[in-house]
Amino acid sequence: MTVFDFGSGPVPAHRHSDGGGWVADTAMVADTAYVSPNAKVFGNARVFGNAEVYGDAQVFGDATVYDNARVSGNARVYGNATVFDDARVFGNARVYGDALVCGRARVYDNAQVFDNAQMFDDARVSEDAMVFGNARVYGNTWVSSDEEIS
């Protein structure tokens, strides 16, 4: 049995067939998805469709990433968060809690989307901005700098 330490002690894990990234045996990553060598998927996370997790990105907890979504850089998607469609989470961004990021939405730099917040369409959240609570960010809306939307 192969094990890997995702940060809380070694757990049964394997390298993904497309990209070679680490996947805990408790997580589910489809053969059609890509997980790069330094990326990690663990806990009960699910990655499927043509989704990509690359760089040093991590998807964990009960998070789900699917369709053509991408999580990259040093980004984290966790908790019960869902990222799908053509959404992108990158840089040092964090998407967590019960947050939803979809459409062509982008979360990047040090931005955070959490709680029950939802982003869709062509919305952008960047720099040190935070979108949280029950906020809905959509259309061509840009949230940046140190703005907080709740």
Side-chain angles (χ1 to χ4, degrees), residues 2 9 39 48 62 67 77 79 86 97-98 102 111 141 144 148:
T2 302
F48 55 96
D62 293 307
D67 289 338
V77 176
D86 291 309
D98 291 309
C102 61
T141 304
S144 62
E148 294 184 7

Side-chain angles (χ1 to χ4, degrees), residues 82-139:
T82 303
V83 179
F84 66 102
D85 289 336
D86 291 309
R88 305 287 186 260
V89 180
F90 56 99
N92 290 310
R94 303 292 186 256
V95 176
Y96 57 99
D98 291 309
L100 175 78
V101 179
C102 61
R104 291 173 305 279
R106 304 289 188 259
V107 183
Y108 55 100
D109 295 331
N110 295 309
Q112 297 182 53
V113 177
F114 58 99
D115 289 339
N116 293 306
Q118 294 183 2
M119 289 185 58
F120 44 97
D121 296 334
D122 290 305
R124 305 283 187 265
V125 176
S126 64
E127 298 176 15
D128 294 314
M130 291 191 292
V131 175
F132 59 99
N134 292 312
R136 304 292 179 262
V137 179
Y138 56 92

Side-chain angles (χ1 to χ4, degrees), residues 41 45 58 64 69 72 120 131 143:
V41 180
Q58 296 182 11
T64 304
S72 62
F120 44 97
V131 175
V143 180

